[in-house]
Amino acid sequence: MQNLRYDFNNLMAERVGEHGVSDAQLQALGPKVEAAASAIENVPLGFRKLLFNTKLADEVAALAQKLNKRFDNFVVLGIGGSALGNIALQSALNHPEYNLLERPRRRGPRLFVLDNVDPNQITGLSDVLDLDKTVFNVITKSGGTAETLSEFLVFRDALIRKLGEKQHVEHIVITTDPEKGELREIVKKHSYASLPIPPDVGGRFSVLSAVGLLSAAVTGIDIHRLLAGAADMDAACKSKKLWENPALTGAALHYLMDKAKGKNIQVMMPYSHGLRDVADWFRQLWAESLGKQMDRAGKMARTGQTPEKALGVTDQHSVMQLYIEGPYDKVITFLTVDEFGSTVTIPHAFPEYDTVKYLGGHTMGELLNAEQKATELALTKCGKPNCAIRVRKVDEKTVGTLIYLLEMQTAYAGELYNINAFDQPGVELGKNFAYGLMGRKGYEAKRLEVEDAGKPNPKWVVSV
Ligand code: PA5
């Protein structure tokens, strides 16, 4: 049985009528699709090279083994591409209540990912950490992100106060650029353990680098199988033909959905508790890569579909009414699972009541997948385009395959939009204003710009 199927049926006009893509539209896009495939094949993309960097994976696994034995808590300090992949791997591949389990059922230290700087959250986390038994993995590719560096300074200080200057070093691992940046200098000067992020791997494409692999390996996830799963998809992406290469086909159809069909919102909806955070990770990948003001020719383009996430079945009882009957501006991507790792059978009871009786004997997995099928049909019947990525089961191999599919789909889509999918000038602009406001040297002009923007006019503010 195959590990992953990408089912595009309900994106086609044949199924959803005028809101679907026709054969003719796909054929007309053919030359552009081939050019996109060639462009991606000809550029040695950093995130593709990761799959074959067994040296790095071995280095990560060796360090993980040491940390696994020594510590009870592993805290990731990172944000965006330096956190979302870690969260996605953890929820997909470890026990749903991982942090609450006792060892040895919990395969490694508890995992916390701190990807915000709310003081209440930081204080709360500090309250539950025994610093003697905690290691912090500071992850920042640029080495300069204010949020991550601030967290590093806070916890480093706490470690020094508790354990002393010499001892604290053993509780910090820094994942950053191998050469560049002041953080790398700090690593060298203070002898912190460290891992490299290859310079040609962008933040949101870095989950299969040391960024995502260390927290995964430390918590017992088989990272070599994860990479092997991704390599399976890479092999499928060698083809430049639609309907052979799932990532290329996904990119082409979503591009047409957006540009030809006006579906400028893409909702990823996993019907799997384990895959819920893959949708969150994908949201950043699709948004930051494709949301661009200028195209490669320097022309104003304003590209990108707005990615959203919903969770089956939970959000059937929240946003589904809008998806089914609201505007024709969305395309839904379901994530489904054939085999759940566990079986919960619904007991027979109350045979005298029809509203209860029929449930007895079915499994919860059956119910979840029946709900997904029902929702899919309801959308399709109302002409709402949707597609499904179906994985056989959620394990290291299939999650690697899925993650890599979505990365490649994003890279191909960037080519179709003719934009640079690997930069993020908008994010940098916000970062620079924040540096100015916080007094970083060299960003004085940014501070002035924020101050000159003026105070809010009280006329437009309502207070209670
Ligand atoms: O994808 C990206 O490049 C961003 O989302 C970054 O991951 C995020 O801004 C954090 O950057 P850094 O890892 O440099 O701290």
Side-chain angles (χ1 to χ4, degrees):
M1 193 194 254
Q2 285 134 336
N3 280 332
L4 183 147
R5 291 141 16 239
Y6 203 159
D7 181 350
F8 299 105
N9 267 283
N10 298 332
L11 294 181
M12 309 309 293
E14 201 180 293
R15 297 286 268 256
V16 284
E18 58 173 315
H19 295 285
V21 170
S22 66
D23 266 347
Q25 278 171 318
L26 263 180
Q27 265 175 26
L29 194 68
K32 222 172 154 170
V33 169
E34 227 173 275
S38 300
I40 292 297
E41 204 47 44
N42 295 335
V43 185
L45 290 172
F47 77 91
R48 298 190 84 170
K49 288 190 259 168
L50 290 173
L51 309 188
F52 310 100
N53 194 345
T54 43
K55 196 169 148 261
L56 180 61
D58 292 344
E59 191 188 339
V60 169
L63 177 60
Q65 212 178 3
K66 275 204 250 160
L67 300 174
N68 179 300
K69 287 209 185 91
R70 160 115 200 248
F71 293 104
D72 275 352
N73 305 303
F74 186 97
V75 184
V76 169
L77 306 179
I79 196 163
S82 294
L84 290 164
N86 305 64
I87 300 171
L89 293 181
Q90 177 66 6
S91 27
L93 298 171
N94 265 321
H95 190 286
E97 304 299 342
Y98 175 85
N99 277 2
L100 298 180
L101 296 174
E102 296 292 335
R103 277 180 123 159
R105 268 197 88 199
R106 175 161 48 81
R107 304 183 294 184
R110 279 181 283 269
L111 178 68
F112 302 92
V113 181
L114 191 59
D115 64 349
N116 209 339
V117 289
D118 186 315
N120 292 335
Q121 189 186 5
I122 294 172
T123 309
L125 180 58
S126 304
D127 285 345
V128 301
L129 292 178
D130 175 355
L131 291 180
D132 282 313
K133 297 178 185 157
T134 303
V135 60
F136 294 88
N137 184 197
V138 182
I139 309 180
T140 165
K141 177 175 156 122
S142 61
T145 302
E147 295 90 331
T148 306
L149 290 182
S150 306
E151 291 164 355
F152 168 47
L153 295 180
V154 166
F155 286 107
R156 175 181 168 274
D157 184 61
L159 285 168
I160 291 175
R161 277 188 284 113
K162 173 113 199 250
L163 308 170
E165 182 73 43
K166 189 159 170 258
Q167 195 69 28
H168 95 279
V169 173
E170 292 169 19
H171 294 251
I172 291 175
V173 177
I174 296 183
T175 307
T176 191
D177 188 280
E179 299 294 338
K180 277 199 327 235
E182 292 182 340
L183 189 61
R184 181 48 70 182
E185 273 181 37
I186 292 174
V187 166
K188 287 182 191 152
K189 225 187 246 170
H190 297 269
S191 309
Y192 290 120
S194 79
L195 287 168
I197 311 176
D200 56 356
V201 177
R204 56 195 172 276
F205 289 88
S206 67
V207 54
L208 299 177
S209 75
V211 169
L213 294 184
L214 182 63
S215 63
V218 130
T219 57
I221 293 168
D222 183 339
I223 58 172
H224 289 95
R225 264 173 61 77
L226 195 65
L227 293 172
D232 284 352
M233 181 52 68
D234 192 59
C237 291
K238 292 278 180 268
S239 167
K240 292 183 186 154
K241 291 205 178 101
L242 287 178
W243 310 112
E244 281 182 12
N245 175 339
L248 185 63
T249 311
L253 281 163
H254 280 102
Y255 174 78
L256 285 175
M257 274 289 147
D258 179 21
K259 301 293 277 184
K261 297 284 153 189
K263 315 297 176 238
N264 54 20
I265 300 172
Q266 185 190 165
V267 183
M268 180 169 275
M269 189 163 188
Y271 274 70
S272 155
H273 186 66
L275 296 181
R276 69 195 182 283
D277 293 320
V278 168
D280 214 16
W281 165 81
F282 175 68
R283 197 162 142 258
Q284 185 217 8
L285 180 69
W286 200 244
E288 228 172 70
S289 304
L290 304 180
K292 299 290 153 71
Q293 180 169 266
M294 310 302 266
D295 69 11
R296 283 217 185 92
K299 278 211 328 249
M300 185 60 76
R302 297 232 175 265
T303 54
Q305 258 181 337
T306 302
E308 271 313 328
K309 58 170 187 169
L311 181 65
V313 299
T314 311
D315 288 325
Q316 276 177 217
H317 302 268
S318 151
V319 285
M320 193 45 70
Q321 169 63 28
L322 171 80
Y323 295 174
I324 293 178
E325 290 198 352
Y328 285 99
D329 56 358
K330 296 173 201 62
V331 49
I332 318 288
T333 300
F334 293 111
L335 300 183
T336 74
V337 176
D338 296 341
E339 299 165 19
F340 296 93
S342 55
T343 305
V344 176
T345 305
I346 306 168
H348 291 280
F350 306 110
E352 65 279 29
Y353 297 110
D354 287 346
T355 44
V356 183
K357 185 183 162 191
Y358 73 101
L359 294 169
H362 290 291
T363 65
M364 286 294 186
E366 260 183 84
L367 176 61
L368 186 56
N369 281 342
E371 297 269 3
Q372 189 278 324
K373 267 198 199 105
T375 303
E376 186 177 311
L377 184 62
L379 283 164
T380 307
K381 280 188 94 82
C382 290
K384 296 295 169 74
N386 60 88
C387 57
I389 304 175
R390 306 190 194 283
V391 296
R392 185 168 60 79
K393 62 177 187 178
V394 178
D395 64 11
E396 278 94 341
K397 203 88 193 283
T398 56
V399 169
T401 307
L402 172 64
I403 279 178
Y404 195 78
L405 162 72
L406 295 169
E407 288 183 336
M408 285 299 284
Q409 175 175 296
T410 306
Y412 289 130
E415 293 304 315
L416 293 172
Y417 283 110
N418 192 28
I419 51 100
N420 181 353
F422 304 104
D423 66 359
Q424 54 285 323
V427 180
E428 306 301 340
L429 182 64
K431 277 189 180 182
N432 293 342
F433 283 136
Y435 293 150
L437 279 174
M438 295 297 284
R440 180 171 167 181
K441 196 169 162 220
Y443 292 82
E444 296 78 5
K446 288 288 168 214
R447 182 193 190 104
L448 289 179
E449 250 189 87
V450 179
E451 284 169 0
D452 285 353
K455 293 204 168 26
N457 185 342
K459 192 171 140 193
W460 308 119
V461 180
V462 183
S463 306
V464 179

